[in-house]
Amino acid sequence: CLVFLDGPTVRFRPSCIKSHFLHVFIVVRPVSTGGYNVSLVAKNGVKHFGPQCSPDFVFQRDNTFRDFILCKIVNGQHSAYNASKFKIMIERTRHQMLGDLVQKFKMDTESKKRDCHMENGRGTWLPFGAVRPQSPLLDAVFERYENANKLGKDLENEYISNS
């Protein structure tokens, strides 16, 4: 989380922000010389990460400062992901999301199976994720020509014979 403090007397207390997911706070404070001072606050279990700078270093508003902040944010995110508490939460969330995907896939597959035309124990095969519109004409064509290659050859022969 990037925190910008507007003024030298404003104090930042991470305990004011209640979150299970925010583990790293990069605090940027303007200084009287026109630059910015950067400090870092992290929860227990988050390992130190770079790039490092001294607490009294003043950045000017330029590409070096922008690159430093972006690098610090990305490295902070990686370091937070590797914290033991956060790893447990990520694993639990991924497990729940994967379970939801499996359930949704099962329901979609079951509804497609019900919608599939069945006659004489044979069904119409559909590619993964495809939904064929219901049509008596299409059903008649698919029942007559189960093999797409045979259908293509018959249409080609019909076209050649009518030419």
Side-chain angles (χ1 to χ4, degrees):
C1 177
L2 186 62
V3 179
F4 185 83
L5 299 179
D6 194 18
T9 59
V10 179
R11 295 186 52 104
F12 173 68
R13 291 189 337 220
S15 60
C16 292
I17 300 174
K18 299 292 182 194
S19 172
H20 293 289
F21 294 100
L22 294 178
H23 280 54
V24 176
F25 300 93
I26 300 169
V27 182
V28 178
R29 179 188 310 269
V31 293
S32 59
T33 60
Y36 299 99
N37 188 310
V38 177
S39 58
L40 177 75
V41 180
K43 286 188 177 181
N44 291 338
V46 177
K47 294 181 181 177
H48 293 286
F49 54 93
Q52 302 296 329
C53 73
S54 65
D56 56 346
F57 186 81
V58 176
F59 288 94
Q60 296 305 314
R61 186 177 180 175
D62 58 8
N63 286 339
T64 304
F65 177 60
R66 182 182 66 83
D67 292 344
F68 176 84
I69 290 292
L70 289 174
C71 187
K72 199 73 166 167
I73 289 170
V74 170
N75 290 343
Q77 181 179 10
H78 287 294
S79 186
Y81 281 166
N82 291 323
S84 59
K85 183 179 177 184
F86 204 75
K87 273 186 175 180
I88 293 168
M89 290 190 301
I90 288 174
E91 187 67 29
R92 184 179 62 225
T93 302
R94 286 182 181 162
H95 184 71
Q96 289 173 344
M97 290 173 72
L98 185 59
D100 291 345
L101 284 173
V102 168
Q103 285 301 110
K104 183 178 183 324
F105 177 74
K106 281 182 180 177
M107 290 188 315
D108 287 351
T109 303
E110 289 170 3
S111 68
K112 286 178 185 175
K113 282 181 182 177
R114 282 192 302 271
D115 295 342
C116 191
H117 179 68
M118 297 290 282
E119 192 171 294
N120 298 329
R122 298 184 322 206
T124 305
W125 180 83
L126 296 174
F128 179 74
V131 178
R132 182 172 55 84
Q134 295 294 320
S135 164
L137 178 61
L138 283 178
D139 289 342
V141 170
F142 279 115
E143 285 173 14
R144 185 165 178 200
Y145 297 100
E146 290 182 57
N147 189 340
N149 290 332
K150 185 175 186 305
L151 176 62
K153 287 178 184 175
D154 289 349
L155 290 173
E156 183 182 6
N157 290 339
E158 187 68 23
Y159 177 77
I160 292 171
S161 65
N162 287 336
S163 299

